[in-house]
Amino acid sequence: MDIEARIKRRRRRDGEPRLILEYESLSPVTHISEPVDRGPVLERLLDYLDPVFDGNLPPNAYVYGPKGSGKSAVVTALFSHLTRLLAERNAAIYTTTRAQSAISPAFVYVDARKTTSEFAFYHAVLDALVEESVPEHGIGTETLKSRLHQSLGGSRTGVVVAIDHLGEPGNITEAEFVDLFAGLPSNVSWLAIGRALPSETVLTEYTAESIQVEPYQRQMLVDVLMTRASVGLAQQGLDHRAARTIAEWADGDAHDALAALFGAAETATAAGHDSIDTTDLDTGIDAVPRPSVSLGRVLALPANRQRVLRRLLELSDDERSSVQEASEHISQTVDLSSTTVKRILYELAESGITRRVTIEEAEGKGRPPSRLEPRFPTVVFKRLFELNGGRE
């Protein structure tokens, strides 16, 4: 932990003992500026990006690996550092092995979870490249494409676009992305990020390299947990034994490991504990379903769908004994009709955010009713929903 982080840690003290000092450091959807134990992956990405240090574009590439392996964390951190380095050195990168400076391409990160249409994709790329804000309304897709070509048409450098979370339900598909990319100028290359194996995606038909990201090894995951806890929790809030327990359970998935840590910390705080004990740990782990949907997907949902999910979690077992029953109760506390809520609930189940469980013991004729069970870490979602201003 650096000096600045240590100073901030001291300043957070307000005279009252607290276990959780900073939620952001514990959050599974937060990427820190220096990812832990991902050095080999970083080196492979730098090898791929090596042409930019001579002012050239790298070829298209595909980064793949399972959920929670740190793909997004490494790419976002690397692009952030490269962008800042360019700004600090007046868009020129100097190296110890090259005698002259070379103008480097720009770097743009696009999250497919939040960019689900042609308009949104071109808007995200253009907005990252120009200094002025690009309007979200009153402008058409073709106008955005035209401005992109104008912005990059006279450039000698171009841009590298990282497109993350391709292939997830509700996002643009790999094939759709290839079509979108065809609408960009020729001096643009892309770094696609997904979970599918290279043999299972059309993306590799257009890439020169595939970069694999392996799941975290157990000790690496312990390091991730202890690093996050060193900033997010009070001193001695998490011991190595507890971190090893979480890491062993998570089986290489940093998202689920951090969700379990977050849930354990919330449980310990509610119980007035000054550190996470065994009971807190068990509760935090039990609150993370396996397999678990990434919280990034849930928090990327439109606001009305997040409100419906939040209300669903507040219902008793009887109140959510069926989709119809849950819809009627939720509609009483959100500004949506029961029919609309029901449609949203079915959409969430269809996309895998929740799971429909058939009630076998139901009496009567016809299709038996079903209830919905969340497939994401509910304790973490509740707190992040509130921190993001979702409380009404």
Side-chain angles (χ1 to χ4, degrees):
M1 183 167 55
D2 60 26
I3 295 176
E4 183 177 348
R6 292 176 184 270
I7 293 173
K8 289 182 178 179
R9 182 189 185 92
R10 302 271 178 165
R11 290 181 62 187
R12 280 195 295 267
R13 297 190 308 186
D14 56 8
E16 294 293 330
R18 290 187 297 164
L19 173 59
I20 300 178
L21 301 179
E22 184 179 286
Y23 281 103
E24 186 177 16
S25 296
L26 304 178
S27 172
V29 298
T30 297
H31 300 313
I32 60 178
S33 60
E34 298 289 343
V36 179
D37 290 330
R38 296 282 83 174
V41 176
L42 180 61
E43 287 299 325
R44 289 198 62 188
L45 284 169
L46 284 171
D47 288 342
Y48 151 70
L49 290 169
D50 192 66
V52 306
F53 296 99
D54 286 322
N56 301 314
L57 278 174
N60 299 336
Y62 176 53
V63 175
Y64 68 99
K67 178 178 75 71
S69 58
K71 304 181 298 297
S72 302
V74 174
V75 172
T76 54
L78 179 57
F79 272 40
S80 177
H81 280 285
L82 286 169
T83 299
R84 185 168 63 252
L85 180 62
L86 294 178
E88 291 175 351
R89 301 190 181 187
N90 297 319
I93 294 181
Y94 298 86
T95 71
T96 57
T97 58
R98 296 179 173 93
Q100 62 182 12
S101 64
I103 303 301
S104 171
F107 299 90
V108 173
Y109 173 85
V110 177
D111 189 345
R113 289 170 176 165
K114 303 176 181 178
T115 311
T116 57
S117 68
E118 181 182 19
F119 176 88
F121 174 76
Y122 292 129
H123 183 280
V125 176
L126 180 62
D127 195 50
L129 291 175
V130 298
E131 293 185 3
E132 68 273 15
S133 178
V134 180
E136 297 183 4
H137 305 285
I139 184 173
T141 301
E142 291 304 317
T143 301
L144 288 176
K145 291 170 65 175
S146 176
R147 288 192 58 186
L148 263 173
H149 280 268
Q150 292 175 5
S151 177
L152 290 169
S155 171
R156 294 171 36 236
T157 57
V159 59
V160 181
V161 177
I163 178 75
D164 201 357
H165 304 121
L166 282 172
E168 292 184 355
N171 296 356
I172 56 174
T173 65
E174 293 96 330
E176 288 172 337
F177 167 68
V178 171
D179 290 339
L180 290 176
F181 185 80
L184 294 174
S186 59
N187 56 343
V188 181
S189 64
W190 48 264
L191 178 68
I193 308 166
R195 299 179 189 172
L197 295 174
S199 60
E200 299 173 347
T201 174
V202 299
L203 292 171
T204 50
E205 298 177 14
Y206 307 90
T207 57
E209 183 176 1
S210 294
I211 301 171
Q212 184 177 13
V213 183
E214 299 279 358
Y216 282 93
Q217 296 179 10
R218 185 175 304 171
Q219 186 54 49
M220 291 180 178
L221 204 45
V222 170
D223 292 342
V224 170
L225 293 169
M226 296 305 296
T227 298
R228 295 293 194 101
S230 69
V231 177
L233 298 180
Q235 292 184 14
Q236 300 180 346
L238 177 73
D239 59 32
H240 276 83
R241 176 199 57 79
R244 286 194 296 271
T245 298
I246 295 175
E248 181 176 357
W249 165 83
D251 193 26
D253 188 329
H255 171 277
D256 288 2
L258 287 168
L261 172 60
F262 193 118
E266 278 280 274
T267 302
T269 297
H273 299 162
D274 56 8
S275 64
I276 295 173
D277 65 18
T278 302
T279 302
D280 303 325
L281 197 62
D282 291 342
T283 303
I285 289 175
D286 290 343
V288 183
R290 305 297 295 274
S292 174
V293 172
S294 172
L295 278 163
R297 279 187 61 197
V298 183
L299 294 173
L301 292 170
N304 63 345
R305 281 156 175 73
Q306 289 193 49
R307 288 198 301 272
V308 168
L309 275 177
R310 182 65 184 88
R311 297 301 185 233
L312 176 67
L313 299 179
E314 293 177 345
L315 300 182
S316 66
D317 290 342
D318 289 340
E319 291 173 333
R320 56 174 175 168
S321 59
S322 69
V323 175
Q324 180 63 44
E325 189 77 16
S327 301
E328 293 175 358
H329 284 284
I330 292 173
S331 65
Q332 297 174 11
T333 56
V334 298
D335 189 21
L336 297 169
S337 69
S338 176
T339 301
T340 300
V341 171
K342 186 177 182 179
R343 175 177 55 80
I344 290 174
L345 289 177
Y346 277 123
E347 289 176 355
L348 292 171
E350 187 70 24
S351 66
I353 301 294
T354 59
R355 182 169 67 99
R356 291 175 60 187
V357 179
T358 302
I359 305 174
E360 301 292 349
E361 64 272 16
E363 299 179 356
K365 298 181 180 181
R367 184 177 181 179
S370 59
R371 68 176 187 275
L372 297 176
E373 292 184 352
R375 296 187 62 238
F376 54 91
T378 56
V379 174
V380 189
F381 171 71
K382 290 177 182 178
R383 177 59 67 187
L384 293 181
F385 179 82
E386 294 176 353
L387 294 174
N388 291 338
R391 183 183 301 179
E392 299 176 350

